[in-house]
Each structure stands twice: as structure tokens, then as C-alpha cells.
Amino acid sequence: MPRKPINIRNHSAESALFMRRTLVVFIAIIIAIAALISNLYYLQINSFESFQTRSNDNRINVQTVPPNRGLIYDRNGIILAENRPVYSLQVVVKKTKNLKQKIEKLREMLDLTDQEVEKFYNRNRYARARSYKPILLRDQLSSEEVALFTVNQHQFKGFSIQANLKRYYPFGDAFTHVLGYIAKINSKDLIRIDEQGATARYRGTNYIGKLGIEKYYEEILHGHPGQRQVEVDSWGKVIRVLNFTPPVPGKDIKLNIDINLQLKAQKLLGDTRGSVVVMDTRTGGILSLVSNPSYDPNLFVQGISSKKYNELLNSKDRPLINRATQGRYPPASTIKPQMALLALDTGVVTEHTKIKDPGWWIVPGSKRRFRDWKRWGHGEVDVIHAIEQSCDTYFYDASYKIGIDRINPFMEQFGFGQYSGLDLAEETKAIMPSREWKRQRYKAPWYDGDTISVGIGQGYWTVTPIQLTQATAILARKGTIIAPHILHSIVSDGGEFTPPVNMSPSIVLKDEHYWDIALKAMYGVTSKITGTAHRAFADTSYTVAGKSGTAQVINIKEDEEYDAASIAERHRDNAMFVAYAPYESPEIVATVILENAGGGSSNGAPVLRELFDEYFDNIKDQDILDN
């Protein structure tokens, strides 16, 4: 039987093998430890600042805190423009996965509209370069929607509710043409802001003043943004505030506008297209400025729909136009007191000069008749009777003798053809014609017939209601020129600052008595039984001086009679009236223009009567502001 071989172990070889393996493992461990130490050195020493910054970028956010916009009050301290809290749903797209699925889920949960979703995707497309910028998905969430989203927020990483203050105009369309409105900043605004070097100031702000006081005093109302450094979790939720620099809120402003007078004027206009301007004669402060029809400014703050905007834009009543400062109307007979002043000052007439009015007037050397509004004429009239009875013939003759070369510069002193200086950007100069103006505008010479029409406030001459108010105020103040203004004061840090009133050199006549003649005649318009507005101002508890105007909208041929019933409503005459009170010591001055309403005395004067009653019965004694 063969015997099994006996294995003899080589202990030396095994020992050597073990040592080699141990050495290899040891070297590998040393290399691994060295690599770890090297990497640790790289992370903690060489790249510490870089990785710390990147880490903080994910953990710490620097957020811009927009300032609260200043509030706007009327002269009684009643708020006209305020800020109300609203909640919006925003999305940081870079922190969101399956964006479309989540949007669809939210569409069901919050009843998102197609338009809201489309706008969100458009904003997202525009904001790709700023991927961590929150993008608005739904504005003005209700409290129920806020609660519903909050309990489900864990399903929507990157989505968050943001609380903001939004502008609100509690009186709707009553003050639109005074206050204007704010709306979202568009590309044109961004260009203008950049040109003004105000980009940092509008960081974090989505709104800017677009019209009216909101636009004119944007610098005061807007304020300066602040910053807060916050720590957030992986969902973007704020854990704590690390640093906070508070924003500087915009300053509040107080207007000269009286809410009661404004609402009264709007009510009196009713459905009639037109405007009312009421001014404090002593200060130039605008107490009321109404343009009718108007529109609700809150629509623009919320984001007006294309359909609604087109309705406003294409309306034949033109509600977007501020008729008080942009409406251009022939002044008609409302400027006869100023024409009388010029006739006296140039010596064309004296206080006692009389002419015989047969009901018409002919330019010397021609056959064309210019008719008086009174077919059978006024008989013999002097300058006072000519104003009281609004005699056209008297002013045909006077203007012919004065000439356009003297009429134009004199009337410009009263503000015609000029910006009034009102603190609204929406204003037109209208037209105070001259030979040069007609040459440039129509490439035609000036004719005597042009001057005759200008003499009764017709022809090429157009004015705005604010110009008429200013011109009447200058007349009532006997030449003193104070720029009309809506702002009364700026409220800040518990104090109130009233800007100085802008004044221009006064109008100086050759004889101060001429002012008295014109004003006495205006008083006769309302106080004498032969005055054109006597009926409207009978039995007032105060004295009034005024002047009516009935402006033609279309030309009537020489042999035709004006018949309102046979003329389209929009071609009928405009009713106008200017007045101030009290006659002896003027406090308020006003203008009313009612488009296509007919006679100024019969339709415009009663409106001013009610406004003056409101002022003297209910407002005068509440004269809160310093004069």
C-alpha cells in the first residue's frame, strides 16, 4: 500500500509573502490617508472661501424689501389712495422639479385660469437669466386660497406665498383724473429708470406711477428699498433673518382737493361729458378737478384686461382723456372780460364809449356780416353792458380795432396758449393763435375775419378748463399770477412741509381802474336782471361775479339759424360758465364746461351755483388748511 506524500511548509516563504502583503496594504492605507488629508486640505484651506460662498448661496438669500408707497389724502385728511395687503403665489423655477405637473395640479386646486398660466410661462421665459428670481403665478389670493395652499405646500417645493401691499383707490373713478394710478413697470419705464440712474431704487418694486399725482410726485411717494439677509431651508422657506436693513417708506402727501366738493361736482355732471375745476383764488390750490366720464383706476393696478382696455380706448366718450387739462374748447364769451380789459388798456374804448348794436357787424370794406347772438341787437351798449349782456357786436368792433398782434401777447399773460403750471403732466397748451401760428400751421396769412372770430372766443382760439379757471382767477386778483397746484403739503416724520407757491410777475395795466370795470361787469352778469346768469344766481347768500359762454362746435352759415333739435347731439353747442365768489373778496373761482349741452347761462351757471352753495354752506367753515 503506497504512502501519502508529506507536505513540508516553507515558513520563510510564507513569512516573506505576509510581509509583502502587509507592506502593500500599509502603503495603500498611507496613500488613502494622504489622499484624504490632501483633499481635506484642498477643501478646508485652498477652497474654503469658494465653497463657503457656494454653500451660503444655497443656505442664505439676500432679499430686497420694497418700500411702502406714500399715502395720499384730501385737504380734510380723508385718504384717497392707500395700500392694502394682498397675497401672491410665486415660484422659484430652479428649485422646482416637474414644473408642468405641479402647475396642472395647482390649476385644479386654485382654479388657475389659462391666462394666468400663460403669463407665468411668459415671465419664466423672460426671466431665465435670473433663474432664482421668484416668478408670479397668481396675484391677489383669497384667504381661503392661502389656507388651501399652505396645508399642501409640502407638495410644491419652490412655490411660496408672498405678502405685499397693493395700491387701492377707495373712491374709484371720482379722482382718477387727479390721482392717476400706478401700474406694473414696463420696458419703457425700465429704460427711463435706467436713464435716470434710479435702477437700485426700483429693485424689488413692480409698480410705478403712470398718471396724475401718482406720476408727478413719484419721487416723493415711492421711497427707497431695504434688504434682509435670510437663512432658508432646502424648500426655500425662511428659517431666520440674519440681517435687516429697513426700507425707507415713501412720504405721504396731502392735496388741496376737497372730497365733498369733488363728489358734488361729479354728481352734478352726471352723464354729461365735460369738466369742472374749482380753485382757491387766494392760494391757487385746486379744490376740485373733475373730468367726465372717468374710469376706475383700480383696474390698472390689478392689471386691466385687453378687452376692458380696448373698450376704454375706443369709447367715443374718450374717458381716458383728462378734459380739465387736455380738453380743448373755444372759450366763447367767457373771455370777454379780458378782451374788455385789453380794449380799455389800448385806448380802443373808454369806460363811456358806446356803440350801436343792430344785431350784426360788418368788417369795413367787406360785405360779410358777423351776427350777434341776439338777432335784433342790444341797442346802445358800453363796455359794462357789453359784458353783462354778452354783446358780440361790441367785441367784433373792439377786436377789429385792437388787432391780433396785440390780442395774442396780452392773452398769453393770462395763461392762454401756455401750460398753466399745474402739477399734472397730462396738460395741453391748447391754442392762442397769432399770425405766425397760422403761417406755420396752415401756410396761410392772417385775415381780419380771423381776428373778429377771436374777439368773441371762437375761430382758432382754444382753451382748457384749467386755463379758463386760471385766467378768471388772475382777473379776480387784479393781475396777480399764482400757479394752480393740487399738492398742499408733504407729510414726513411727523412733520408737514408746504412747498412755496409759484408766482409770476403780475399783469400791469395803464390804469388799475380798468380791473374794477371788468369785475363790476361780471358782477352784473349774475346780479342784474339783465345779466345773462341772473336767474341762476338769484337769492344767493353770497355775491358772485361770472361770465357765460356758448361755444359753437360746428359753423352755421350766415343765412342759417341754429336749431339744436335738428343737429346731431355731438354737434350742439358747448355750455360754459366761469365765476368767482364773493365778488368783493374772492375766495373761490370755478369753471364748468358741459359738452353739447347748449347755453352757458341756462346750463352751466346752475351747476356752478350748486357748487358755490356747497362751498359756502358746508365747506367754507371747515377751512382746515392754512391759506
Side-chain angles (χ1 to χ4, degrees):
M1 180 175 179
R3 297 181 62 179
K4 291 182 179 178
I6 299 172
N7 292 328
I8 300 174
R9 297 182 60 183
N10 187 340
H11 293 281
S12 297
E14 288 180 353
S15 178
L17 178 62
F18 175 78
M19 288 303 294
R20 285 198 298 274
R21 288 177 177 174
T22 301
L23 182 62
V24 169
V25 171
F26 179 74
I27 292 173
I29 290 173
I30 293 298
I31 291 173
I33 291 174
L36 287 173
I37 292 174
S38 174
N39 193 44
L40 186 64
Y41 180 84
Y42 172 76
L43 293 174
Q44 294 294 327
I45 306 299
N46 283 359
S47 304
F48 174 77
E49 291 186 1
S50 172
F51 282 105
Q52 185 183 47
T53 301
R54 290 167 63 180
S55 174
N56 286 340
D57 284 346
N58 290 331
R59 184 176 62 89
I60 299 173
N61 282 344
V62 177
Q63 300 174 341
T64 302
V65 183
N68 292 342
R69 195 172 179 84
L71 307 179
I72 303 176
Y73 298 90
D74 89 324
R75 68 198 299 265
N76 308 302
I78 296 175
I79 195 163
L80 304 178
E82 60 181 312
N83 303 318
R84 290 189 173 181
V86 294
Y87 298 93
S88 57
L89 178 60
Q90 299 180 338
V91 185
V92 177
V93 176
K94 281 291 184 181
K95 293 184 177 179
T96 306
K97 294 180 180 178
N98 303 320
L99 178 64
K100 288 187 178 180
Q101 292 179 11
K102 290 179 178 175
I103 293 290
E104 290 305 311
K105 195 171 183 179
L106 277 172
R107 185 196 286 269
E108 297 175 7
M109 181 187 299
L110 302 179
D111 197 22
L112 295 176
T113 65
D114 292 342
Q115 189 178 23
E116 287 174 323
V117 174
E118 183 182 350
K119 281 186 177 180
F120 166 76
Y121 283 123
N122 287 336
R123 294 188 190 108
N124 182 34
R125 196 173 302 115
Y126 171 76
R128 278 194 182 282
R130 294 173 286 175
S131 53
Y132 284 96
K133 179 182 174 66
I135 299 171
L136 179 67
L137 176 56
R138 156 67 71 83
D139 202 7
Q140 300 192 62
L141 293 167
S142 66
S143 55
E144 291 79 10
E145 289 172 329
V146 172
L148 184 61
F149 176 80
T150 302
V151 297
N152 292 283
Q153 187 171 3
H154 63 281
Q155 302 177 42
F156 299 95
K157 185 177 181 180
F159 292 68
S160 62
I161 297 286
Q162 183 73 33
N164 293 304
L165 292 175
K166 183 160 280 191
R167 203 59 152 179
Y168 181 72
Y169 304 98
F171 293 94
D173 63 358
F175 293 87
T176 305
H177 291 292
V178 177
L179 301 178
Y181 56 81
I182 67 168
K184 288 182 179 174
I185 296 173
N186 58 29
S187 55
K188 289 183 179 178
D189 297 323
L190 287 174
I191 293 172
R192 190 176 70 252
I193 289 170
D194 185 58
E195 290 174 346
Q196 294 171 348
T199 303
R201 194 177 173 200
Y202 282 87
R203 192 165 293 148
T205 304
N206 293 321
Y207 292 87
I208 191 171
K210 294 284 187 176
L211 283 176
I213 288 294
E214 291 277 26
K215 179 180 181 181
Y216 197 91
Y217 291 109
E218 170 71 19
E219 180 77 16
I220 295 172
L221 291 166
H222 181 265
H224 295 267
Q227 278 190 342
R228 66 172 183 170
Q229 195 176 41
V230 297
E231 184 177 357
V232 297
D233 62 13
S234 60
W235 293 82
K237 186 177 180 180
V238 175
I239 300 173
R240 60 178 175 143
V241 178
L242 302 176
N243 192 16
F244 181 63
T245 303
V248 179
K251 296 174 182 175
D252 299 341
I253 61 175
K254 186 181 285 185
L255 306 183
N256 285 303
I257 295 289
D258 186 284
I259 188 171
N260 298 312
L261 210 55
Q262 182 82 357
L263 295 177
K264 180 75 174 181
Q266 188 190 37
K267 182 180 178 181
L268 288 170
L269 284 177
D271 295 330
T272 305
R273 298 178 302 278
S275 66
V276 168
V277 179
V278 184
M279 184 165 73
D280 188 318
T281 317
R282 301 159 295 185
T283 66
I286 298 296
L287 302 175
S288 176
L289 188 147
V290 177
S291 175
N292 203 47
S294 185
Y295 57 95
D296 186 354
N298 293 303
L299 293 173
F300 287 84
V301 181
Q302 297 163 6
I304 190 170
S305 66
S306 299
K307 179 182 178 184
K308 185 62 181 175
Y309 181 70
N310 285 329
E311 286 177 7
L312 293 173
L313 188 65
N314 299 321
S315 170
K316 60 182 180 181
D317 290 336
R318 306 183 73 184
L320 296 177
I321 298 295
N322 186 344
R323 284 172 160 80
T325 58
Q326 296 174 309
R328 295 188 290 185
Y329 307 90
S333 297
T334 57
I335 48 77
K336 283 176 178 172
Q338 286 87 348
M339 287 297 300
L341 275 182
L342 180 56
L344 291 164
D345 201 51
T346 55
V348 166
V349 299
T350 69
E351 183 176 0
H352 307 292
T353 300
K354 292 184 178 180
I355 70 163
K356 188 172 183 179
D357 172 24
W360 47 265
W361 188 84
I362 297 179
V363 178
S366 75
K367 295 181 180 180
R368 182 183 174 187
R369 283 191 176 189
F370 288 84
R371 295 182 303 180
D372 195 285
W373 68 268
K374 197 173 184 180
R375 291 185 59 191
W376 50 91
H378 298 270
E380 282 197 342
V381 291
D382 59 16
V383 63
I384 289 181
H385 292 103
I387 293 175
E388 289 175 351
Q389 301 173 29
S390 200
C391 176
D392 291 336
T393 302
Y394 187 92
F395 289 98
Y396 289 148
D397 183 70
S399 59
Y400 174 75
K401 292 174 180 174
I402 297 169
I404 189 64
D405 295 332
R406 290 193 286 189
I407 293 174
N408 175 276
F410 185 79
M411 294 303 168
E412 284 187 344
Q413 293 182 81
F414 282 88
F416 296 118
Q418 310 292 320
Y419 291 119
S420 67
L422 185 70
D423 41 358
L424 285 184
E426 302 80 40
E427 186 180 5
T428 177
K429 290 182 177 180
I431 299 171
M432 183 64 244
S434 65
R435 293 181 191 276
E436 183 60 25
W437 171 85
K438 187 179 179 184
R439 191 178 297 116
Q440 291 185 2
R441 178 71 174 79
Y442 292 105
K443 313 296 181 189
W446 187 268
Y447 299 110
D448 287 338
D450 298 330
T451 304
I452 307 309
S453 296
V454 165
I456 61 164
Q458 293 281 172
Y460 297 116
W461 193 354
T462 60
V463 300
T464 63
I466 187 66
Q467 286 178 337
L468 269 183
T469 310
Q470 170 72 338
T472 308
I474 294 171
L475 195 64
R477 292 191 294 256
K478 299 183 178 180
T480 301
I481 302 174
I482 304 173
H485 51 279
I486 298 173
L487 177 71
H488 174 267
S489 55
I490 302 166
V491 183
S492 178
D493 300 327
E496 192 167 335
F497 167 69
T498 301
V501 174
N502 293 326
M503 298 186 67
S504 302
S506 299
I507 299 173
V508 179
L509 302 180
K510 292 175 182 174
D511 188 339
E512 287 291 305
H513 179 58
Y514 297 153
W515 295 108
D516 298 327
I517 295 173
L519 298 179
K520 180 182 177 183
M522 291 179 69
Y523 179 53
V525 170
T526 62
S527 61
K528 287 186 178 179
I529 196 166
T530 53
T532 55
H534 174 263
R535 180 178 299 178
F537 290 95
D539 68 20
T540 56
S541 59
Y542 48 89
T543 54
V544 183
K547 185 68 193 78
S548 61
T550 303
Q552 290 181 350
V553 175
I554 58 172
N555 291 325
I556 303 296
K557 292 181 180 178
E558 186 176 332
D559 55 349
E560 285 184 342
E561 290 295 326
Y562 176 79
D563 180 14
S566 64
I567 298 175
E569 188 268 343
R570 288 177 185 271
H571 291 166
R572 295 172 188 167
D573 294 343
N574 293 332
M576 316 171 77
F577 203 85
V578 298
Y580 70 86
Y583 162 62
E584 301 84 359
S585 180
E587 290 182 23
I588 62 168
V589 58
T591 295
V592 60
I593 294 181
L594 307 176
E595 293 181 9
N596 315 118
S601 296
S602 55
N603 298 291
V607 173
L608 282 200
R609 165 66 192 272
E610 291 205 44
L611 279 175
F612 281 8
D613 284 351
E614 174 72 18
Y615 174 81
F616 286 103
D617 293 345
N618 303 317
I619 296 175
K620 177 180 167 63
D621 293 337
Q622 301 174 7
D623 199 3
I624 295 172
L625 303 184
D626 295 330
N627 293 315

